[in-house]
Amino acid sequence: MLKIDAMEPAANGNLGMPVTIALAATLAVLTAGCLGWDSCPKECPPGESYCDGETIVRCIAEDDIDNCYAWSGGHQCDYTEGGGCVGWSEDGHRRAACVDLSQPCAPATDWTCTATNTYHACFQGFVALDSFGYGHCEGDTPLCVNWVDNMGRGLVDCAISDVPCPGGRAQYCLGNAVHSCGEGGFPTQRSVCALDEHCVEGLDTEGNATAACALSDSPCPSGRDSVCIGDTVADCTAYGFPVAFRRCSDFDNFCVDFDLSRSACAPSGSWQPYGEHPIEYVAIAGGTIVLGLGTDPFVSIFPQVDVSDFQMLRTEVTVAQYTDCVAAGACFAPDTGSGCDYTPPQTCGLGFPPLDLCNWNMGRPNHPVNCVDFAQAQAFCSWAGGRLPSESEWEFAATSRGQLPETLPPVGCHSMIMEDEEVGCGLRQTWPVCSRPTGNTAQGLCDMLGNISEWMLDHYHHDYYHHPTDGTAYLGNDGAYRMQRGGAFDYEQIYISVSRRSIADATNRRYNLGFRCVR
C-alpha cells in the first residue's frame, strides 16, 4: 500500500504540516448510513474529500432528500503500481486525489506533459492518475509542450511543433501558411494560404507582430487603406499588405480606385466620381400620380395628386456646393464626426464602431452633404433660388413622372448605394453623387433612392388623410417633425422604395440624412 499524508500547503506553496484526519469519525459515518443535513458531522461536510489509506473518501449531499453521507467506493488509488492518495486544503476545504507517487512534477506545476501527446494534472507535486485529469494532443496539434505563465505556474499546450515561435511573435509564416502562437509561445494553429495568396509578416494596427495570407507579397502603397488586386478589393489597414476583403461580382464586377486612399466595387471599369459641378436643376413636366403605391405597410389611403411643372436638382446637394453657401454667409457649417443620435452612440445603430460618417471637412467634396438639420437644408435651398420639395413632388420625380413602382429598376447595389449584405455597398458610408447611373430616373435624376435620405417640406402626418391634391406640401402641424424620403446607404432593401415614408425631428443632424432642392 502506498500513501502520502495529507499536507497543508505553506504560504510559500511548499508542503507544510500534516493535516489531522479524524478517521474514527469517518468510520462512524460510513457505518451509520444517511444522516440529516443538520446533523452531518463536521468531520465530513458535503463536498469535501480526503484520504483513508489508499482510498479517497468523499462526503456527498444527496440532492433529493438533502441528506449527506461519506462514500468510499470507486476510488482505490493503488489500482496501479505507484498509485497513492494525496490530500490538501483548498479555500478551507479538504481535497484529495489519486496520483502516481513514482512520477514527481516540477515545483508549482498545474499540468505537465507525460508523453509526446499526453498530459496530466499535478497534485501535491505528483502526476495525477488518469481519472483525476489527463488528455491527449491529436489532429493538427499532436505534440504536448510545457510552458510557464507569468505567475510561475507550469502549464501545457497542444502544439503543431515543439519549436517556440520566433521572436515572441503572435503569428509567423512557415512555408505558405500562417502559424498562430498560443499563450505558451508555441504554434497552436495553422492556416494554409490559397494558391493565389502569399504568407506575409507585418504589424497589425496595435503594433503586434503578425502574419496574414495576402494577395501580394508587396506592401500596399503608402497612404492607402485598400487597393484593387484584379477584381478584388484588398484591405491594407490590418497588416500593411493587401488582404482580400471583397470580390466584385454581379453588377458591381469592376474594382476601381474610389478615391486617393480606398478602392471599391463599381458597375463599370471606366467609372469615375460624378465630380464637382455647379448647381444643376432638371425640368420635370407636371402630371398625375397616385401616392403610396409600393411597399410602405403604413399607407392605406392612396390619394391621386396633380403635380405642376417644377425643377429639381439633378443630385443631392454636395459638400462642395454647400461649401459655397457657407462661404457666402448664407449657411451654417454641418456637424462633423459620426453623426450619431443613438444612445449609446458606439455603433450608430450600424453594428460597427463609430466612423467619421459626416462628410463635412473629410475631403469628400463630391459626396452628398449630410449631418444638416431641416433649417440648414431650407437655408441652402433659399440661397440656391428654391425650396425643399413636397412629398408629392419627390415621389412624382422618383417614379419618372408617376410610373408604377414595378416598372422601376430593382433595388440593389447595382442601382443604388444601400445595405446589400454590406453597409454602403461595402464602404460603410456615402458614395459620391451619381455613382449608380443605372438607378437614374428617365429625366436623369441621380440617387433618388439610397446614398442619403432627403428632407421634405411636409410636416409629419401618419397617413395621407386630407393630403393636398395639388402637389403642395402637407402642412398643418407644428413642424417639429418633418418627412424624409429615399432611404440611405445603411438602409436594407425592405426599407427602400419610392413610396416609403419616414420622419425625423427637424433638429436632427444625422449621418444618413441630407437633401436636394426644387423650384
Side-chain angles (χ1 to χ4, degrees):
M1 176 183 74
L2 291 172
K3 173 182 176 293
I4 184 169
D5 288 334
M7 303 295 284
E8 182 78 27
N12 60 8
N14 297 321
L15 296 181
M17 298 300 294
V19 177
T20 300
I21 299 175
L23 185 56
T26 301
L27 295 176
V29 175
L30 288 171
T31 57
C34 290
L35 301 173
W37 181 274
D38 293 338
S39 61
C40 192
K42 293 181 181 180
E43 291 82 359
C44 191
E48 288 199 356
S49 58
Y50 57 86
C51 295
D52 177 16
E54 74 279 4
T55 301
I56 291 181
V57 175
R58 294 185 183 277
C59 304
I60 302 174
E62 293 182 316
D63 295 334
D64 53 347
I65 58 176
D66 278 347
N67 286 346
C68 71
Y69 61 92
W71 173 75
S72 62
H75 286 288
Q76 302 289 331
C77 294
D78 61 350
Y79 68 86
T80 184
E81 184 178 354
C85 184
V86 294
W88 67 97
S89 177
E90 181 179 299
D91 298 328
H93 298 283
R94 289 174 296 176
R95 300 287 183 259
C98 292
V99 299
D100 186 346
L101 296 174
S102 67
Q103 291 194 65
C105 296
T109 296
D110 292 346
W111 294 87
T112 187
C113 296
T114 51
T116 302
N117 67 336
T118 306
Y119 53 90
H120 282 76
C122 291
F123 296 110
Q124 295 302 101
F126 295 97
V127 172
L129 297 185
D130 287 357
S131 58
F132 285 81
Y134 84 109
H136 293 293
C137 297
E138 53 193 19
D140 292 336
T141 55
L143 300 178
C144 181
V145 292
N146 292 302
W147 63 283
V148 178
D149 70 7
N150 56 11
M151 300 293 292
R153 298 178 305 163
L155 300 170
V156 299
D157 254 338
C158 289
I160 299 168
S161 168
D162 57 3
V163 178
C165 296
R169 297 183 65 90
Q171 293 176 312
Y172 67 97
C173 292
L174 184 62
N176 200 36
V178 175
H179 287 62
S180 299
C181 304
E183 289 185 81
F186 292 90
T188 56
Q189 289 183 329
R190 175 172 51 200
S191 178
V192 179
C193 299
L195 293 177
D196 60 346
E197 293 179 325
H198 305 263
C199 186
V200 296
E201 296 179 348
L203 300 177
D204 65 15
T205 54
E206 297 180 354
N208 299 313
T210 58
C213 293
L215 296 175
S216 171
D217 56 3
S218 298
C220 293
S222 177
R224 289 204 66 88
D225 294 335
S226 57
V227 295
C228 289
I229 303 292
D231 62 351
T232 300
V233 178
D235 176 66
C236 297
T237 59
Y239 305 98
F241 289 87
V243 176
F245 171 68
R246 182 186 184 194
R247 188 176 297 276
C248 302
S249 60
D250 298 329
F251 293 96
D252 293 337
N253 56 353
F254 292 91
C255 184
V256 299
D257 288 335
F258 176 76
D259 54 28
L260 294 177
S261 64
R262 291 173 300 169
S263 299
C265 296
S268 169
S270 59
W271 174 90
Q272 293 293 330
Y274 190 76
E276 297 181 46
H277 56 85
I279 294 173
E280 180 182 0
Y281 281 97
V282 174
I284 309 294
T288 300
I289 182 174
V290 177
L291 296 179
L293 296 179
T295 59
D296 192 332
F298 302 106
V299 174
S300 58
I301 299 173
F302 306 95
Q304 180 171 300
V305 175
D306 295 320
V307 180
S308 302
D309 294 350
F310 66 99
Q311 295 179 338
M312 176 175 274
L313 286 185
R314 179 181 298 278
T315 74
E316 293 158 333
V317 174
T318 66
V319 172
Q321 292 167 343
Y322 197 88
T323 299
D324 293 338
C325 183
V326 173
C331 294
F332 292 103
D335 279 1
T336 58
S338 68
C340 297
D341 60 3
Y342 285 86
T343 303
Q346 282 77 11
T347 64
C348 296
L350 298 170
F352 51 79
L355 305 173
D356 291 318
L357 296 173
C358 292
N359 291 329
W360 189 252
N361 285 341
M362 289 302 300
R364 304 169 188 160
N366 305 321
H367 288 242
V369 68
N370 55 2
C371 303
V372 291
D373 59 30
F374 176 84
Q376 289 173 298
Q378 195 173 36
F380 177 93
C381 289
S382 296
W383 174 77
R387 56 174 171 78
L388 290 170
S390 68
E391 283 196 89
S392 298
E393 291 169 328
W394 187 94
E395 190 167 329
F396 184 71
T399 56
S400 296
R401 299 186 61 253
Q403 292 185 29
L404 294 175
E406 55 265 29
T407 67
L408 303 176
V411 173
C413 271
H414 62 284
S415 60
M416 62 195 67
I417 307 303
M418 57 174 290
E419 181 177 353
D420 187 1
E421 295 186 1
E422 297 176 86
V423 173
C425 297
L427 284 183
R428 294 185 171 187
Q429 63 168 59
T430 62
W431 285 56
V433 296
C434 293
S435 292
R436 292 294 189 266
T438 56
N440 290 1
T441 69
Q443 291 72 40
L445 302 177
C446 302
D447 302 319
M448 291 298 285
L449 293 179
N451 211 17
I452 211 77
S453 193
E454 301 176 16
W455 283 111
M456 298 291 109
L457 189 59
D458 301 60
H459 294 176
Y460 165 64
H461 293 274
H462 179 69
D463 54 31
Y464 287 125
Y465 190 68
H466 292 316
H467 191 280
T469 59
D470 61 357
T472 57
Y474 193 2
L475 305 176
N477 285 337
D478 60 9
Y481 290 88
R482 300 282 178 157
M483 302 307 299
Q484 61 183 49
R485 289 295 201 105
F489 69 94
D490 62 331
Y491 280 42
E492 298 176 298
Q493 179 175 349
I494 60 173
Y495 300 114
I496 294 185
S497 79
V498 291
S499 62
R500 188 84 183 201
R501 308 169 72 232
S502 302
I503 66 170
D505 187 311
T507 62
N508 277 0
R509 297 183 179 184
R510 295 284 306 283
Y511 64 87
N512 58 4
L513 185 54
F515 66 99
R516 76 177 75 210
C517 309
V518 298
R519 65 182 183 185

Coordinates of all heavy atoms in Angstrom, one line a residue, residues 320-394:
A320 N -19.3 70.2 -51.8 CA -18.7 71.3 -52.5 C -19.7 72.4 -52.7 O -19.4 73.6 -52.5 CB -18.2 70.8 -53.8
Q321 N -21.0 72.0 -53.0 CA -22.0 73.1 -53.2 C -22.3 73.7 -51.9 O -22.5 75.0 -51.9 CB -23.2 72.4 -53.9 CG -23.0 71.9 -55.3 CD -24.1 71.0 -55.8 OE1 -24.9 70.5 -55.0 NE2 -24.2 70.8 -57.1
Y322 N -22.5 73.0 -50.9 CA -22.8 73.5 -49.6 C -21.7 74.4 -49.1 O -21.9 75.5 -48.4 CB -23.1 72.4 -48.6 CG -23.8 72.9 -47.3 CD1 -25.2 73.0 -47.3 CD2 -23.2 73.3 -46.2 CE1 -25.9 73.4 -46.2 CE2 -23.8 73.8 -45.1 CZ -25.2 73.8 -45.1 OH -25.9 74.3 -44.0
T323 N -20.4 74.1 -49.4 CA -19.3 74.9 -49.0 C -19.4 76.4 -49.6 O -19.1 77.3 -48.9 CB -18.0 74.3 -49.5 OG1 -17.8 73.0 -48.9 CG2 -16.8 75.2 -49.1
D324 N -19.9 76.5 -50.8 CA -20.1 77.8 -51.4 C -21.1 78.6 -50.6 O -21.0 79.8 -50.5 CB -20.6 77.6 -52.9 CG -19.5 77.0 -53.8 OD1 -18.3 77.1 -53.4 OD2 -19.8 76.5 -54.8
C325 N -22.2 77.9 -50.1 CA -23.2 78.6 -49.4 C -22.7 79.1 -48.0 O -23.0 80.2 -47.6 CB -24.4 77.7 -49.2 SG -25.8 78.5 -48.3
V326 N -21.8 78.3 -47.4 CA -21.2 78.7 -46.1 C -20.3 79.9 -46.4 O -20.2 80.8 -45.6 CB -20.4 77.5 -45.5 CG1 -19.6 77.9 -44.3 CG2 -21.4 76.4 -45.1
A327 N -19.5 79.8 -47.5 CA -18.6 80.9 -47.8 C -19.3 82.2 -48.0 O -18.8 83.3 -47.8 CB -17.7 80.5 -49.0
A328 N -20.5 82.1 -48.6 CA -21.3 83.3 -48.9 C -22.0 83.8 -47.6 O -22.6 84.9 -47.7 CB -22.4 82.9 -49.9
G329 N -21.9 83.1 -46.5 CA -22.5 83.6 -45.3 C -24.0 83.3 -45.2 O -24.7 83.7 -44.3
A330 N -24.5 82.4 -46.1 CA -25.9 82.1 -46.1 C -26.3 80.8 -45.4 O -27.4 80.5 -45.1 CB -26.5 82.0 -47.5
C331 N -25.2 80.0 -45.1 CA -25.5 78.7 -44.5 C -24.5 78.5 -43.3 O -23.4 79.1 -43.3 CB -25.2 77.6 -45.5 SG -26.4 77.5 -46.8
F332 N -24.9 77.7 -42.3 CA -24.1 77.3 -41.2 C -23.4 76.0 -41.5 O -24.1 75.1 -42.1 CB -24.9 77.3 -39.9 CG -25.4 78.6 -39.4 CD1 -26.7 79.0 -39.6 CD2 -24.5 79.5 -38.8 CE1 -27.1 80.2 -39.2 CE2 -24.9 80.7 -38.4 CZ -26.2 81.1 -38.5
A333 N -22.2 75.8 -41.1 CA -21.5 74.5 -41.3 C -22.2 73.3 -40.7 O -22.8 73.4 -39.6 CB -20.1 74.6 -40.8
P334 N -22.2 72.2 -41.4 CA -22.8 71.0 -40.9 C -22.0 70.5 -39.7 O -20.9 70.9 -39.4 CB -22.7 70.0 -42.0 CG -22.4 70.8 -43.2 CD -21.7 72.0 -42.8
D335 N -22.6 69.5 -39.0 CA -21.9 68.8 -37.9 C -20.7 67.9 -38.6 O -20.7 67.6 -39.7 CB -22.8 67.9 -37.2 CG -23.6 68.6 -36.1 OD1 -23.4 69.9 -36.0 OD2 -24.4 68.0 -35.4
T336 N -19.8 67.6 -37.7 CA -18.7 66.7 -38.1 C -18.7 65.5 -37.2 O -19.4 65.5 -36.2 CB -17.3 67.4 -38.1 OG1 -17.1 67.8 -36.7 CG2 -17.3 68.5 -39.0
G337 N -17.9 64.5 -37.5 CA -17.8 63.3 -36.6 C -18.7 62.2 -37.1 O -18.8 61.9 -38.3
S338 N -19.3 61.4 -36.2 CA -20.0 60.2 -36.5 C -21.4 60.5 -37.0 O -22.0 59.7 -37.7 CB -20.1 59.3 -35.3 OG -20.9 59.8 -34.3
G339 N -22.0 61.7 -36.6 CA -23.4 62.0 -37.0 C -24.4 61.0 -36.3 O -25.5 60.8 -36.8
C340 N -24.1 60.5 -35.1 CA -25.0 59.6 -34.4 C -25.9 60.3 -33.5 O -25.5 61.3 -32.8 CB -24.2 58.6 -33.5 SG -23.1 57.5 -34.5
D341 N -27.1 59.9 -33.4 CA -28.0 60.4 -32.3 C -28.6 59.2 -31.6 O -29.6 59.3 -31.0 CB -29.1 61.3 -32.8 CG -30.0 60.6 -33.9 OD1 -29.8 59.4 -34.1 OD2 -30.9 61.3 -34.4
Y342 N -27.9 58.1 -31.6 CA -28.3 56.9 -30.9 C -27.7 57.0 -29.5 O -26.7 57.7 -29.2 CB -27.8 55.6 -31.5 CG -28.5 55.2 -32.8 CD1 -28.2 55.7 -34.0 CD2 -29.6 54.3 -32.7 CE1 -28.9 55.3 -35.1 CE2 -30.3 53.9 -33.8 CZ -29.9 54.4 -35.0 OH -30.6 54.1 -36.2
T343 N -28.3 56.3 -28.5 CA -27.8 56.2 -27.2 C -27.7 54.7 -26.8 O -28.8 54.0 -26.7 CB -28.7 56.9 -26.2 OG1 -28.9 58.3 -26.6 CG2 -28.2 56.8 -24.8
P344 N -26.5 54.1 -26.5 CA -25.3 54.8 -26.7 C -24.9 54.9 -28.1 O -25.4 54.2 -29.0 CB -24.3 53.9 -25.9 CG -24.9 52.5 -26.1 CD -26.4 52.7 -26.1
P345 N -23.9 55.8 -28.4 CA -23.6 56.1 -29.9 C -22.5 55.2 -30.4 O -22.1 55.4 -31.5 CB -23.1 57.5 -29.8 CG -22.4 57.6 -28.5 CD -23.3 56.8 -27.5
Q346 N -22.1 54.2 -29.7 CA -20.9 53.4 -30.1 C -21.0 52.8 -31.4 O -20.0 52.5 -32.1 CB -20.5 52.4 -29.0 CG -19.8 52.9 -27.8 CD -20.8 53.6 -26.8 OE1 -22.0 53.5 -27.0 NE2 -20.2 54.3 -25.9
T347 N -22.2 52.4 -31.8 CA -22.4 51.7 -33.1 C -23.1 52.5 -34.1 O -23.2 52.0 -35.3 CB -23.1 50.4 -32.9 OG1 -24.5 50.7 -32.4 CG2 -22.4 49.5 -31.8
C348 N -23.7 53.6 -33.8 CA -24.5 54.4 -34.8 C -25.7 53.5 -35.2 O -26.3 53.8 -36.3 CB -23.8 54.8 -36.0 SG -22.5 56.0 -35.6
G349 N -26.0 52.4 -34.5 CA -27.1 51.5 -35.0 C -26.7 50.7 -36.2 O -27.5 50.0 -36.8
L350 N -25.4 50.7 -36.5 CA -24.9 50.0 -37.7 C -24.2 48.7 -37.4 O -24.0 47.9 -38.3 CB -23.9 50.9 -38.5 CG -24.5 52.2 -39.0 CD1 -23.4 53.1 -39.5 CD2 -25.5 52.0 -40.1
G351 N -23.9 48.5 -36.2 CA -23.2 47.2 -35.8 C -21.7 47.3 -35.9 O -21.0 46.3 -35.9
F352 N -21.1 48.5 -36.1 CA -19.7 48.6 -36.1 C -19.3 49.9 -35.5 O -20.1 50.8 -35.3 CB -19.1 48.5 -37.5 CG -19.7 49.5 -38.6 CD1 -19.4 50.8 -38.6 CD2 -20.6 49.0 -39.5 CE1 -19.9 51.6 -39.6 CE2 -21.2 49.8 -40.4 CZ -20.9 51.1 -40.5
P353 N -18.1 50.1 -35.0 CA -17.7 51.3 -34.3 C -17.9 52.6 -35.0 O -18.0 52.6 -36.3 CB -16.2 51.1 -34.0 CG -16.0 49.6 -34.1 CD -17.0 49.1 -35.1
P354 N -18.1 53.7 -34.3 CA -18.3 55.0 -35.0 C -17.2 55.3 -35.9 O -16.1 55.2 -35.7 CB -18.4 56.0 -33.8 CG -18.6 55.2 -32.6 CD -18.0 53.8 -32.8
L355 N -17.6 55.8 -37.1 CA -16.7 56.3 -38.1 C -17.0 57.8 -38.3 O -17.9 58.4 -37.7 CB -16.9 55.6 -39.4 CG -16.8 54.1 -39.4 CD1 -17.2 53.5 -40.7 CD2 -15.4 53.6 -39.0
D356 N -16.1 58.5 -39.1 CA -16.4 59.9 -39.4 C -17.4 59.9 -40.6 O -17.1 60.1 -41.7 CB -15.1 60.6 -39.8 CG -14.2 60.8 -38.7 OD1 -14.7 61.1 -37.6 OD2 -13.0 60.6 -38.8
L357 N -18.7 59.6 -40.2 CA -19.7 59.4 -41.2 C -20.2 60.8 -41.8 O -20.7 60.8 -42.9 CB -20.9 58.7 -40.6 CG -20.6 57.2 -40.2 CD1 -21.8 56.6 -39.5 CD2 -20.2 56.4 -41.4
C358 N -20.0 61.9 -41.0 CA -20.4 63.2 -41.5 C -19.3 63.6 -42.6 O -18.1 63.4 -42.3 CB -20.4 64.2 -40.4 SG -21.7 64.0 -39.2
N359 N -19.7 64.0 -43.7 CA -18.8 64.3 -44.8 C -18.1 65.6 -44.8 O -17.2 65.8 -45.5 CB -19.6 64.2 -46.2 CG -20.0 62.7 -46.4 OD1 -19.4 61.8 -46.1 ND2 -21.2 62.6 -47.1
W360 N -18.6 66.5 -43.9 CA -18.0 67.8 -43.9 C -16.6 67.8 -43.3 O -16.3 67.1 -42.4 CB -18.9 68.7 -43.0 CG -18.5 70.2 -43.0 CD1 -17.9 70.9 -42.0 CD2 -18.8 71.1 -44.0 NE1 -17.7 72.2 -42.3 CE2 -18.3 72.4 -43.6 CE3 -19.4 71.0 -45.3 CZ2 -18.4 73.5 -44.4 CZ3 -19.5 72.2 -46.0 CH2 -19.0 73.4 -45.6
N361 N -15.7 68.5 -44.0 CA -14.3 68.6 -43.6 C -13.6 67.2 -43.7 O -12.6 67.0 -43.0 CB -14.1 69.2 -42.2 CG -14.3 70.7 -42.2 OD1 -14.2 71.3 -43.2 ND2 -14.6 71.2 -41.0
M362 N -14.1 66.3 -44.5 CA -13.4 65.0 -44.6 C -12.8 64.7 -46.0 O -12.5 63.6 -46.3 CB -14.5 63.9 -44.3 CG -14.9 63.8 -42.9 SD -13.5 63.5 -41.7 CE -12.9 61.9 -42.3
G363 N -12.7 65.8 -46.8 CA -12.1 65.6 -48.1 C -13.0 64.8 -49.1 O -12.5 64.1 -49.9
R364 N -14.3 65.0 -48.9 CA -15.3 64.4 -49.8 C -16.2 65.4 -50.5 O -17.4 65.4 -50.3 CB -16.2 63.4 -48.9 CG -15.4 62.4 -48.1 CD -16.3 61.7 -47.1 NE -15.5 60.9 -46.2 CZ -15.9 60.4 -45.0 NH1 -17.1 60.8 -44.6 NH2 -15.2 59.7 -44.2
P365 N -15.6 66.2 -51.3 CA -16.4 67.3 -52.0 C -17.6 66.8 -52.8 O -18.6 67.5 -53.0 CB -15.4 68.0 -52.8 CG -14.3 67.0 -53.1 CD -14.2 66.2 -51.9
N366 N -17.4 65.6 -53.4 CA -18.5 65.1 -54.3 C -19.5 64.2 -53.6 O -20.4 63.8 -54.3 CB -17.8 64.4 -55.5 CG -16.8 65.2 -56.2 OD1 -16.9 66.4 -56.3 ND2 -15.6 64.6 -56.5
H367 N -19.4 64.0 -52.3 CA -20.4 63.3 -51.6 C -21.5 64.2 -51.2 O -21.4 65.4 -51.2 CB -19.8 62.7 -50.3 CG -18.8 61.6 -50.5 ND1 -19.0 60.3 -50.0 CD2 -17.6 61.5 -51.2 CE1 -18.0 59.6 -50.3 NE2 -17.2 60.3 -51.0
P368 N -22.7 63.6 -51.0 CA -23.8 64.5 -50.5 C -23.5 65.0 -49.2 O -22.9 64.3 -48.3 CB -25.0 63.5 -50.5 CG -24.4 62.1 -50.4 CD -23.1 62.2 -51.1
V369 N -23.9 66.3 -48.9 CA -23.7 66.9 -47.6 C -24.7 66.2 -46.7 O -25.9 66.0 -47.1 CB -23.9 68.4 -47.6 CG1 -25.3 68.8 -48.0 CG2 -23.4 69.0 -46.3
N370 N -24.3 65.8 -45.5 CA -25.2 65.2 -44.5 C -24.9 65.9 -43.2 O -24.2 66.9 -43.1 CB -24.9 63.7 -44.4 CG -23.5 63.3 -44.2 OD1 -22.6 64.2 -44.0 ND2 -23.2 62.0 -44.1
C371 N -25.6 65.4 -42.1 CA -25.4 65.9 -40.8 C -25.9 67.4 -40.8 O -25.3 68.3 -40.1 CB -24.0 65.8 -40.3 SG -23.4 64.1 -40.3
V372 N -27.0 67.7 -41.5 CA -27.6 69.0 -41.5 C -29.0 68.8 -41.1 O -29.7 67.9 -41.4 CB -27.5 69.7 -42.9 CG1 -26.1 70.1 -43.2 CG2 -28.1 68.8 -44.0
D373 N -29.6 69.8 -40.3 CA -30.9 69.7 -39.9 C -31.9 70.4 -40.9 O -31.4 70.9 -42.0 CB -31.1 70.4 -38.5 CG -30.7 71.8 -38.4 OD1 -30.8 72.5 -39.5 OD2 -30.3 72.3 -37.4
F374 N -33.2 70.4 -40.6 CA -34.1 70.9 -41.6 C -33.9 72.4 -41.9 O -33.9 72.8 -43.1 CB -35.5 70.7 -41.0 CG -36.6 71.3 -41.9 CD1 -37.2 70.6 -42.9 CD2 -37.1 72.6 -41.6 CE1 -38.2 71.1 -43.7 CE2 -38.1 73.1 -42.4 CZ -38.6 72.4 -43.5
A375 N -33.6 73.2 -40.9 CA -33.4 74.6 -41.1 C -32.2 74.9 -42.0 O -32.2 75.8 -42.9 CB -33.2 75.3 -39.8
Q376 N -31.1 74.1 -41.8 CA -29.9 74.3 -42.7 C -30.2 73.9 -44.1 O -29.8 74.6 -45.0 CB -28.8 73.4 -42.1 CG -28.2 73.9 -40.8 CD -27.2 72.9 -40.3 OE1 -27.5 71.8 -39.9 NE2 -25.9 73.4 -40.2
A377 N -31.0 72.8 -44.3 CA -31.4 72.4 -45.7 C -32.2 73.5 -46.3 O -32.0 73.9 -47.5 CB -32.1 71.1 -45.6
Q378 N -33.2 74.0 -45.6 CA -34.1 75.1 -46.1 C -33.3 76.3 -46.5 O -33.5 77.0 -47.5 CB -35.2 75.3 -45.1 CG -36.4 76.1 -45.6 CD -37.4 76.2 -44.6 OE1 -37.2 76.3 -43.4 NE2 -38.7 76.1 -45.0
A379 N -32.3 76.7 -45.6 CA -31.5 77.9 -45.9 C -30.7 77.8 -47.2 O -30.6 78.7 -47.9 CB -30.6 78.1 -44.7
F380 N -30.1 76.6 -47.4 CA -29.4 76.4 -48.7 C -30.3 76.5 -49.9 O -29.9 77.2 -50.8 CB -28.7 75.0 -48.7 CG -28.0 74.7 -50.0 CD1 -26.6 75.0 -50.1 CD2 -28.6 74.2 -51.1 CE1 -25.9 74.8 -51.3 CE2 -28.0 74.0 -52.3 CZ -26.6 74.3 -52.4
C381 N -31.5 75.9 -49.8 CA -32.4 75.9 -50.9 C -32.8 77.4 -51.2 O -32.9 77.8 -52.4 CB -33.6 75.0 -50.7 SG -33.2 73.3 -50.8
S382 N -33.0 78.2 -50.2 CA -33.4 79.6 -50.4 C -32.2 80.3 -51.1 O -32.4 81.1 -52.0 CB -33.7 80.2 -49.1 OG -34.9 79.7 -48.5
W383 N -31.0 80.0 -50.6 CA -29.8 80.7 -51.3 C -29.7 80.2 -52.7 O -29.2 81.0 -53.6 CB -28.6 80.3 -50.5 CG -27.3 80.7 -51.0 CD1 -26.7 82.0 -51.0 CD2 -26.3 79.9 -51.7 NE1 -25.5 82.0 -51.6 CE2 -25.3 80.7 -52.1 CE3 -26.3 78.5 -52.1 CZ2 -24.2 80.3 -52.8 CZ3 -25.2 78.1 -52.8 CH2 -24.1 78.9 -53.2
A384 N -30.1 79.0 -53.0 CA -29.9 78.5 -54.4 C -31.2 78.8 -55.2 O -31.3 78.3 -56.4 CB -29.7 77.0 -54.3
G385 N -32.1 79.6 -54.7 CA -33.2 80.1 -55.5 C -34.3 79.1 -55.5 O -35.2 79.1 -56.5
G386 N -34.5 78.2 -54.5 CA -35.5 77.2 -54.5 C -36.0 77.0 -53.1 O -36.0 77.9 -52.2
R387 N -36.5 75.8 -52.9 CA -37.1 75.3 -51.6 C -36.9 73.8 -51.5 O -36.5 73.2 -52.5 CB -38.5 75.7 -51.5 CG -39.4 75.2 -52.6 CD -40.9 75.4 -52.4 NE -41.6 75.1 -53.6 CZ -42.0 73.9 -54.0 NH1 -41.6 72.8 -53.2 NH2 -42.7 73.7 -55.1
L388 N -37.3 73.3 -50.4 CA -37.3 71.8 -50.3 C -38.6 71.3 -51.0 O -39.6 71.9 -51.0 CB -37.3 71.4 -48.8 CG -36.0 71.6 -48.0 CD1 -36.2 71.4 -46.5 CD2 -34.9 70.7 -48.5
P389 N -38.5 70.0 -51.5 CA -39.6 69.5 -52.2 C -40.8 69.0 -51.3 O -40.5 68.7 -50.2 CB -39.0 68.3 -53.0 CG -37.9 67.9 -52.2 CD -37.3 69.1 -51.6
S390 N -42.0 69.0 -51.9 CA -43.1 68.3 -51.2 C -42.9 66.8 -51.4 O -42.3 66.4 -52.3 CB -44.4 68.8 -51.7 OG -44.6 68.4 -53.1
E391 N -43.6 66.1 -50.6 CA -43.6 64.6 -50.8 C -44.2 64.2 -52.2 O -43.7 63.3 -52.8 CB -44.4 63.9 -49.7 CG -43.7 63.8 -48.3 CD -44.4 62.8 -47.5 OE1 -44.1 61.6 -47.5 OE2 -45.3 63.2 -46.7
S392 N -45.2 65.0 -52.6 CA -45.8 64.7 -53.9 C -44.8 64.9 -55.0 O -44.7 64.1 -55.9 CB -47.1 65.6 -54.1 OG -48.1 65.3 -53.1
E393 N -44.1 66.0 -55.0 CA -43.1 66.3 -56.0 C -42.0 65.3 -56.0 O -41.6 64.8 -57.1 CB -42.6 67.7 -55.8 CG -43.6 68.9 -56.0 CD -43.0 70.2 -55.6 OE1 -42.3 70.2 -54.6 OE2 -43.4 71.2 -56.2
W394 N -41.6 64.9 -54.8 CA -40.4 64.0 -54.7 C -40.8 62.6 -55.3 O -40.1 62.0 -56.1 CB -40.0 63.8 -53.3 CG -38.7 63.0 -53.1 CD1 -37.5 63.4 -53.1 CD2 -38.7 61.6 -53.1 NE1 -36.6 62.4 -53.0 CE2 -37.3 61.2 -53.0 CE3 -39.6 60.6 -53.1 CZ2 -36.9 59.9 -53.0 CZ3 -39.2 59.2 -53.0 CH2 -37.8 58.9 -53.0

